[in-house]
Amino acid sequence: MKSISNLFVSSPHGKVGLTTNQVMRMVCYACIPGIAAQTFIFGWGVVVQALLCILIALASEALVLSLREKPVRRTLSDGSAILTGLLIALSIPPLAPWWISVIGVSFAIIIVKQLYGGLGFNLFNPAMAGYVVLLISFPVAMTNWLPVQQVMTYDISFLDCVSSIFTGFTLDGYSVNQLRIAVDGITMATPLDHFKTQIDLGLTASEIIKSPIYGEYGGTGWEWVNLGYLVGGLLLLKQGIIRWHIPLAVIASLFTLSLISYSITPDLSLTPMITLFSGATMFAAFFIATDPISASTTVRGRLIYGAIIGMLIFMIREWGGYPDGVAFAVLLANLTVPLIDYYTRPTVYGHKAKG
Amino acid sequence: MTNTTTSEDIVADDHNANEDVSSEVTEKKPNPFTLVDWSTIAKEGLWKNNPALVQLLGLCPLLAVTNTFINALGLGIATMLVLIVSNLTISLVKDWVTKEIRIPVFIMIIASFVTIVELLMNAYTYGLYLSLGIFIPLIVTNCAIIGRAEAFASKNPPINAAFDGFMMGLGFMFILLILGGVREILGQGTLFYGAHLLFGEWANDIELQIFQFDQQFLLAILPPGAFIGMGFIIAGKNYLDNKQLDNQKNKKANKVERARVTTVN
C-alpha cells in the first residue's frame, strides 16, 4: 500500500542527499577490501596502525576544535578525521614506529586541515600533506616496507606488531630491519624501489622483473592490494559517492604514458600493467585523488585534474628521486585546482560559450 | 546672502582655530629634525613595523639560514651592522644625492659595507663564513636594508637614521633567533650547535643537547619548516596584538560603566 500511495504523490519529489557522515563512512567501508589485502600481505601491523592513526586523528581534531571554540562532538561525528587518519595509516609502512603516525596525523589534522578553516576549506589533501611531511622528514623509516609475508623469514603475530610499533622490536627481540631480510637473505625493497635501483645498476627491465618480488601483473602482493582498492573504488562508483572522471583520468593518463615509454624503451620501463598494479596507483586513483574538497569541481576540470595526477605520478616514478610519487602528484595537482576551475566553468544555459 | 556670509565666517573661524592649534603643537613639539624620538623608533623597529614580521622583507636569508641558532645569530649581526652604517652614511650624503640617481648610490653604499662585513667574517669567523655561504653577499639584496634607506635614512638626520638601523636590525635579528632556535631544537635536538664558529673554541661548552633523536626531523631543517615556523610566529604576533586591542577596549568599556555608576550615586 505504501509504495502505491507514493506513486500518487505529486511533484516536486524531494531527494535527500547524503550527509558528510554517510559519505565518509562509505569511503571507510570501501577501503575494507584494500585493508584486507594489505593485512593479508603485510601482517597485522596495518590494522594496528589504522587504529592508532584514527585515535590520534580524533584526539587532535578534538583538541583544535576546543581551542577554536567550535562544537566538538558534532564536528567529530562527521567522520572526516577518521578517514584522514585511516588514509595516512594505509600509506605508511605497517611497522613504522608510533611517533611517525603521531607526527603525520597531527600535522595533517591540525595544520593542513584545521588551520585553513576545517573541513571544506583546506587547499591540500590533508592525508597526503601529512604523508609528505613524513616522507621528507624521515625518508629511511618511511621506506621500511616489510617484504610480503610469503617470503618473510619470521612469522609475526598481532602482538609482535603492536610491540614493534611501540618499542621498535617484536616480542622475540627482532628489529624491523631484521624482519626485512627475506628468505634468500637479501633485504627486500618495494617493487618500484627495487626497479629504480636495479636500473641504475645497469640491468634491463626484463632481467629485473624475474626477481620474486614481481608477480604476474604487478609486485607480488602489491597486485592484490591494488586489486583490493580497485574493487573498493568500483563500489564507491556504484554507490555514487565518487564520479568516474578523476579515477579514469588518473589511470588512463598513467597507462598511456607508461605504454608510450614501454614501447619506446622496453628495456628501461616497467610494463603498463605492472605500473598500474604496483605502488599506490589504485589507492590514489579512487581514494586520494577523488577527495571532494581539494579536487577540481567541474566535469572537464576533473578530467584535467586526474590527467595531471597520472602524468605527475609517471614522471616522478620515471625520473624522480622517490620510487613512488602519488603524494607529491596529488599535492601539486591540488595547487592547480583554482586555475583549472576558473578556466573550465561550464557555460550557463542561454549564454554563449567564449571563443 | 546671509547664509553664505555666515558659512564664510565659520570657515574663517575654523581656519583660525586650526592655525592656533597647529602653532601650539609646533611650540610644544620642537622641530622633529633636532629631537631624536628614541622610543617611537625603537617600537617601530622591534614590534610595530618589524622588518621580518610586518614588512615581510628580507625573507630569503631569513628562511634560508635559520636552520641553527648560531647561523641565525651570525647573519643577524651582519645584517644589523650593515643596516646601521648604511643608514648613517645614506643620511649623511642625502643632501648631495639627487632623486634620479639615489637608488644606485644607495646600492653602492650598501654593497661596499656588505663587502667589508664579508671580509671581516672571512678573517675572524671563517667557519661561520663558510656555513652562511652565499647569504653574506646576498645581504646587499636584502630589501629590509634598501627599504630603510629609502623610507627613513634619506629623510632623517644621521643619528636618527643610525638608531633606526640599529632597532630594525635588532628586530630582524630577534625573529631570526626565534626561528633559528625553534628549528634547531625541533630539527636536531640541539641548541647553540656550532657556537665555536662565532665565539671561538671556548664556546664548545655552551652547545646543548636538549634531546636525542634516532633520526633528525628533517622538515624543521629544510626550507618548508622555515615557512611554517614563520607563519606561526606571525600568527603569534597578531594574537598578541589582538589581545592588547581587546584589553584596551575592555578598559574603555569599564571606564564608561564606572562613570555611569558614579552619576547614579
Side-chain angles (χ1 to χ4, degrees), chain B residues 96-106:
Chain B
W96 294 286
V97 178
T98 58
K99 209 184 164 202
E100 289 75 19
I101 56 157
R102 68 186 195 287
I103 297 292
V105 173
F106 293 169

Side-chain angles (χ1 to χ4, degrees), chain A residues 89-109:
Chain A
L90 297 178
S91 325
I92 62 181
L95 289 190
W98 61 272
W99 46 267
I100 284 218
S101 326
V102 171
I103 292 175
V105 176
S106 54
F107 187 92
I109 298 281

Side-chain angles (χ1 to χ4, degrees), chain A residues 176-197:
Chain A
V176 178
N177 274 326
Q178 282 169 311
L179 292 175
R180 291 185 68 215
I181 298 170
V183 182
D184 52 1
I186 301 166
T187 310
M188 299 289 279
T190 62
L192 289 173
D193 202 4
H194 182 76
F195 190 79
K196 204 159 215 156
T197 46

Side-chain angles (χ1 to χ4, degrees), chain B residues 158-177:
Chain B
I159 308 170
N160 291 21
F163 187 65
D164 177 73
F166 174 63
M167 279 303 162
M168 285 285 163
L170 211 61
F172 188 67
M173 187 165 78
F174 178 57
I175 303 304
L176 277 173
L177 291 184

Side-chain angles (χ1 to χ4, degrees), chain A residues 99 107 111 115 133 136-141, chain B residues 214-220 222 224 228 232:
Chain A
W99 46 267
F107 187 92
I111 293 184
L115 283 193
V133 164
I136 62 170
S137 297
F138 314 106
V140 179
Chain B
D214 293 340
Q215 286 160 338
Q216 293 188 333
F217 185 39
L218 281 176
L219 180 80
L222 294 172
I228 296 168
F232 274 112

